[in-house]
Amino acid sequence: MSPLLEIRDLGVAFRSGKEQVTATEHVSFTVNRGEIVAVVGESGSGKSVTALSLLRLLPADKAVYPSGELLFSANGDTPVDLLKMGDRDLRKVRGSEIAMIFQEPMTSLNPVFTCGDQVAEAIMQHTELTRKEAKQLTIELFAKVQLPDPVSLFKRYPHEVSGGQKQRVMIAMAICCQPRLLIADEPTTALDVTVQKGVLELLASLQAQTQMGMIFITHDLGVVRDIAHRVVVMYRGTIVEENTTDGLFNAPKHPYTKALLACRPILHHKGSRLPVVSDFWQPDPEGKISQASPNEVLQPIHTDSSKSTLPVAGDVGDFVGGDRIQKAGGKITGNPLLRVTDLSVWFPAEKKFFGKPEKFIKAVDGLSFDIFENETLGVVGESGCGKTTLGRTLLCLQSATNGSILHRGKDLLTMEKKELQALRKEIQVVFQDPYASLNPRLTIGEAIREAMQVHEVLDSGRARKERVVELLEKVNLKADHFNRYPHAFSGGQRQRIGIARALALNPGFIVFDESVSALDVSVQAQVLNLVNDLKAEFGFTAMFISHDLGVVRYISDRILVMNKGVIEEIGQAETVFSQPASAYTRKLLEAIPGNKRQSG
């Protein structure tokens, strides 16, 4: 029997004026029935372009296919080339024989139709079922993908359900016609670990039941280890390695694969420097790729924590940002920069006839803790637990219902507006999405300099520009980047710009709100190394909010675990990971992708 899908020598290019820009070349791999093939690599490696080519979803006026065949055999009979298929026949294949789950469900779902109507429409498009029958099947599918109250959810609009629920709606839509091949393009990137675990278990279960083939695109190697049978590694549009999952994790051959595996934060102690791709491999400047020989062994730089210039967490008395913070009975003692007492943030959920709130959503409910000078406090928990609300409240971007936030003895919640404005330069934030937080009409140099002008830092425009250039160079950007606009930079570069802007006022406290969650693992390693370097140089205190427990463990001195607006536990990072005191924390740790197989 022929493979379900065979990709032969696929080349994809995009027209740019009179020229063509190559996106992928010489891509070849197969997917068998009942097999999950993971495609991994950094942003721009060609993963999504390859997947979109299978359904010819790339813009027809821009995309060209210089070479290749996409041979699909739904029933084991003579394969057909998807690249040569007519539009009418291709429409019959899309959603019926080959289905796709996209990375961002909110942009994939139509906001003006209910979740149920959109799935029912897909069913009626490819079957002869009546609307009533399609509705009943949709409700059954919602139950199959473990959505709560499927009948009620059928009538809800996309904005009325959570991110994890929207992703399950997309899964229900993808499997509604029992496709032979399912393409999952980064389906769990923005989900917290417990929701991600549920989605992965659901996909694996559905795949095992139906024996469909699956292409799973991701940059999360922990997810790959949990779900895939085989792995294809891509770099700059070309496959550099293909192997079974166990073979790739136990004996990677190509230096690029070794780098991706080595730079995961969960494998490294705090204080050790994360390896990056350049530590393993210096590719040809022209982008040419040479396959590493099986006997080639390239060792990373700075991965031995004993040789690091920074101490490793867990010693008696850790150095944090250059200052020693003493531990007494497992607790950090020192000077608290922030002292939070009985902090609550409630939002009205229901109101009486005259507008008086009757019920509240308790996003933050009675939190009390300290943040010590020069430490990094990690904050973790599921989506909706109150992490971001807590960070925004500490920054005075969100009003508090009750409690106090003492900054060097002064309560931020009772400060006059003028006094609080002056304090703004002491408290800064690095947002999750740097592109959304940068003004597209300002060059990055002006965006950084603007904050200095508002707070009258330095005496002249020339001095401020010199300071901006200095900051850009500190975050591994160039002086001539000053006059470029945000769209000209990659995601990792924009995140560095956000960090430079936060440092422009030399703050004492910075909140990092999911600042590396959307970055590739290698870019993530660069940003985390940068944060550690800058923290050691500038000596600021940090709160690091994330749903990635591996990142939080690596970057933090202490970890605060939140659940439904309250503190589940708070303690030393290594202690929380090795000896969790809460059942909820244990559930989070067990949900870390790849954790089960690594520990086993």
Side-chain angles (χ1 to χ4, degrees):
M1 184 179 287
S2 60
L4 176 64
L5 175 72
E6 185 176 3
I7 300 176
R8 292 182 182 174
D9 196 36
L10 177 66
V12 182
F14 292 95
R15 296 187 185 95
S16 178
K18 296 181 179 180
E19 299 181 349
Q20 287 187 4
V21 178
T22 300
T24 69
E25 56 183 348
H26 308 306
V27 172
S28 299
F29 65 91
T30 60
V31 182
N32 298 308
R33 289 163 182 79
E35 182 180 41
I36 301 176
V37 177
V39 181
V40 302
E42 297 173 284
S43 296
S45 64
K47 307 186 301 293
S48 293
V49 168
T50 300
L52 292 170
S53 298
L54 296 176
L55 292 173
R56 302 241 301 274
L57 293 176
L58 296 171
D61 60 330
K62 296 289 184 182
V64 293
Y65 303 92
S67 66
E69 295 177 298
L70 301 175
L71 303 178
F72 178 66
S73 175
N75 300 307
D77 49 11
T78 304
V80 295
D81 188 351
L82 297 172
L83 287 180
K84 296 179 180 178
M85 189 174 284
D87 289 342
R88 176 179 290 182
D89 292 333
L90 192 60
R91 281 196 295 270
K92 294 178 181 178
V93 171
R94 289 174 181 157
S96 177
E97 300 290 348
I98 304 176
M100 189 164 184
I101 304 170
F102 295 94
Q103 178 174 356
E104 179 46 69
M106 192 63 208
T107 57
S108 306
L109 293 170
N110 192 324
V112 301
F113 292 102
T114 67
C115 295
D117 282 338
Q118 295 185 62
V119 178
E121 180 189 23
I123 294 171
M124 290 187 290
Q125 181 74 24
H126 294 286
T127 68
E128 297 181 356
L129 294 181
T130 65
R131 176 162 184 79
K132 184 177 180 180
E133 291 169 333
K135 179 179 179 179
Q136 183 58 39
L137 179 56
T138 300
I139 292 171
E140 292 173 7
L141 286 167
F142 281 176
K144 191 171 186 178
V145 298
Q146 301 168 25
L147 281 166
D149 195 0
V151 176
S152 172
L153 202 135
F154 185 96
K155 303 174 184 177
R156 293 186 195 173
Y157 290 88
H159 72 272
E160 297 179 305
V161 300
S162 69
Q165 289 173 338
K166 281 195 283 281
Q167 198 60 283
R168 288 169 189 266
V169 170
M170 286 298 300
I171 293 172
M173 188 184 298
I175 66 171
C176 68
C177 296
Q178 299 181 341
R180 299 289 193 273
L181 176 66
L182 178 64
I183 304 168
D185 187 4
E186 300 272 15
T188 61
T189 296
L191 304 180
D192 59 60
V193 286
T194 50
V195 176
Q196 177 177 254
K197 182 183 180 184
V199 170
L200 291 176
E201 289 176 345
L202 172 62
L203 285 173
S205 173
L206 293 171
Q207 186 272 337
Q209 291 172 25
T210 61
Q211 283 299 293
M212 64 182 171
M214 188 188 300
I215 297 176
F216 195 95
I217 298 170
T218 184
H219 63 255
D220 190 328
L221 292 163
V223 169
V224 170
R225 190 159 199 170
D226 277 348
I227 198 170
H229 300 117
R230 283 191 298 120
V231 186
V232 172
V233 183
M234 294 189 69
Y235 178 78
R236 291 186 180 178
T238 304
I239 293 175
V240 296
E241 184 165 353
E242 180 179 354
N243 205 339
T244 63
T245 303
D246 287 338
L248 184 121
F249 275 83
N250 295 329
K253 293 181 174 61
H254 196 278
Y256 179 67
T257 309
K258 295 175 185 178
L260 291 182
L261 292 171
C263 61
R264 290 172 291 164
I266 198 167
L267 301 179
H268 301 271
H269 292 288
K270 177 177 172 58
S272 63
R273 194 165 189 81
L274 293 175
V276 295
V277 171
S278 59
D279 293 335
F280 288 78
W281 185 37
Q282 295 290 349
D284 189 286
E286 297 180 0
K288 297 178 181 178
I289 300 167
S290 59
Q291 176 68 37
S293 66
N295 297 323
E296 184 178 4
V297 179
L298 299 180
Q299 297 297 331
I301 302 171
H302 301 309
T303 55
D304 184 354
S305 59
S306 65
K307 297 178 181 178
S308 173
T309 56
L310 297 174
V312 178
D315 296 337
V316 179
D318 291 317
F319 282 103
V320 184
D323 293 331
R324 183 177 289 275
I325 296 177
Q326 298 292 337
K327 296 178 188 175
K331 296 182 179 180
I332 290 184
T333 59
N335 298 320
L337 178 70
L338 287 176
R339 173 154 284 174
V340 179
T341 305
D342 198 27
L343 182 66
S344 295
V345 183
W346 295 2
F347 299 102
E350 295 181 14
K351 294 183 178 181
K352 293 182 179 180
F353 183 75
F354 292 104
K356 184 178 180 181
E358 189 174 27
K359 291 184 179 180
F360 294 89
I361 297 172
K362 299 180 180 181
V364 175
D365 192 20
L367 267 59
S368 297
F369 62 93
D370 294 336
I371 302 179
F372 294 90
E373 291 195 28
N374 300 310
E375 83 161 327
T376 300
L377 177 69
V379 181
V380 300
E382 297 173 286
S383 295
C385 72
K387 305 187 301 293
T388 296
T389 301
L390 172 61
R392 289 175 60 84
T393 307
L394 296 184
L395 293 163
C396 295
L397 298 175
Q398 170 64 52
S399 300
T401 305
N402 187 43
S404 64
I405 305 170
L406 299 182
H407 175 264
R408 303 192 190 279
K410 292 186 177 181
D411 191 351
L412 299 180
L413 301 181
T414 60
M415 273 188 180
E416 294 292 335
K417 185 176 180 179
K418 189 173 182 180
E419 188 179 6
L420 184 61
Q421 184 69 26
L423 186 67
R424 287 286 182 201
K425 67 179 182 179
E426 280 291 311
I427 303 175
Q428 289 292 303
V429 60
V430 180
F431 293 100
Q432 178 175 359
D433 185 349
Y435 191 70
S437 62
L438 291 169
N439 189 332
R441 296 184 177 183
L442 290 181
T443 67
I444 64 159
E446 290 301 329
I448 297 171
R449 185 162 63 177
E450 182 182 43
M452 300 170 69
Q453 290 172 335
V454 169
H455 290 279
E456 298 179 349
V457 175
L458 301 179
D459 298 328
S460 65
R462 181 176 180 180
R464 289 170 188 146
K465 182 174 182 178
E466 290 175 355
R467 173 64 174 160
V468 172
V469 169
E470 180 186 344
L471 285 168
L472 288 175
E473 291 174 344
K474 282 189 182 295
V475 298
N476 301 323
L477 294 173
K478 297 178 181 178
D480 60 7
H481 288 161
F482 184 99
N483 293 316
R484 294 189 187 180
Y485 289 88
H487 71 268
F489 296 89
S490 68
Q493 287 174 323
R494 285 197 290 264
Q495 199 59 281
R496 293 181 203 172
I497 294 165
I499 293 172
R501 184 174 61 176
L503 289 171
L505 302 176
N506 197 21
F509 179 60
I510 301 178
V511 174
F512 294 86
D513 188 6
E514 298 278 12
S515 302
V516 297
S517 62
L519 303 180
D520 298 319
V521 65
S522 57
V523 179
Q524 185 183 83
Q526 295 171 19
V527 173
L528 291 175
N529 283 337
L530 173 65
V531 170
N532 276 335
D533 291 344
L534 295 173
K535 193 171 184 300
E537 180 176 350
F538 290 93
F540 56 82
T541 303
M543 173 184 277
F544 208 94
I545 300 170
S546 180
H547 65 256
D548 189 327
L549 296 170
V551 168
V552 171
R553 179 187 187 181
Y554 169 76
I555 200 75
S556 304
D557 302 295
R558 290 187 302 148
I559 295 177
L560 185 154
V561 182
M562 288 188 69
N563 180 23
K564 297 179 180 178
V566 301
I567 296 175
E568 281 283 339
E569 68 176 290
I570 183 170
Q572 295 298 309
E574 291 300 323
T575 303
V576 170
F577 263 74
S578 60
Q579 302 170 28
S582 162
Y584 176 76
T585 306
R586 288 194 291 273
K587 184 181 81 167
L588 291 180
L589 295 175
E590 288 167 0
I592 297 175
N595 186 43
K596 187 181 297 182
R597 292 183 64 170
Q598 286 173 359
S599 60

